[in-house]
């Protein structure tokens, strides 16, 4: 058991990335307005902070979109897709309320893009589609 140190406020969410032969990855999100990517040897608890990604306010939720991209949402009313190899947000959507939940379904095929479900503080749910890490498009709103 090892404590991962780095966040300066409450941690609101964690999501392990897809397992690979090269590394184990974990994303954590926090009230300190950051998402952190942790990485370590596969099957080993020794992880270190590899990257820090900033939001404007507290980050409430995270989920992996693919093997090299994850999604975050927070009180700044933004959903962001972070592309790990480029170390930056490559797509985003601004909502009219704080984002309190995200969930992802990977692309099933070229004809069936990835889906990102987004929940807000006010009780709305939006579903976005994403052809790749550079694109999000609102597909439907569920009240």
């Amino acid at each position: 058991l090892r404590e991962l140190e780095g966040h300066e406020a409450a941690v609101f969410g964690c999501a392990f990335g897809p397992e690979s032969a090269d590394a184990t990855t974990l994303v954590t999100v926090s009230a300190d307005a950051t998402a952190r990517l942790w990485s370590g040897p596969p099957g080993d608890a020794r992880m270190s902070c590899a990257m820090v990604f900033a939001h404007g306010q507290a980050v409430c939720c995270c989920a992996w979109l693919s093997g090299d991209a994850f999604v975050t949402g927070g009180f700044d009313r933004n959903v962001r897709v972070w592309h790990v190899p480029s170390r930056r947000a490559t797509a985003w959507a601004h909502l009219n309320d704080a984002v309190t939940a995200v969930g992802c379904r990977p692309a099933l095929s070229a004809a069936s893009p990835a889906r990102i479900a987004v929940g807000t503080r006010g009780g709305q749910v939006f579903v976005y589609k994403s052809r790749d890490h550079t694109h999000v498009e609102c597909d439907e709103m569920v009240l």
Side-chain angles (χ1 to χ4, degrees), residues 2 4 6 13 26 32 40 45 60 68 76-78 91 93 98 104 108 115 121:
R2 181 165 180 257
L4 302 177
L26 173 71
D32 68 7
C60 300
D68 64 358
D76 63 359
R77 302 177 179 189
N78 286 303
C104 296
L108 301 175
R115 298 277 192 233
R121 177 175 40 199

Side-chain angles (χ1 to χ4, degrees), residues 12 55-61 72-80 93-102 117-126 128:
F12 292 138
H55 267 256
Q57 295 181 35
V59 189
C60 300
C61 46
T72 59
F75 286 176
D76 63 359
R77 302 177 179 189
N78 286 303
V79 174
R80 290 184 172 93
H94 185 76
L95 285 80
N96 62 357
D97 198 359
V99 176
T100 55
V102 295
V118 178
T120 68
R121 177 175 40 199
Q124 293 177 308
V125 176
F126 298 87
Y128 290 83

Side-chain angles (χ1 to χ4, degrees), residues 16-38:
F16 275 103
E19 198 66 33
S20 79
D22 299 327
T24 296
T25 55
L26 173 71
V27 171
T28 58
V29 295
S30 170
D32 68 7
T34 67
R36 292 177 183 264
L37 177 70
W38 306 86

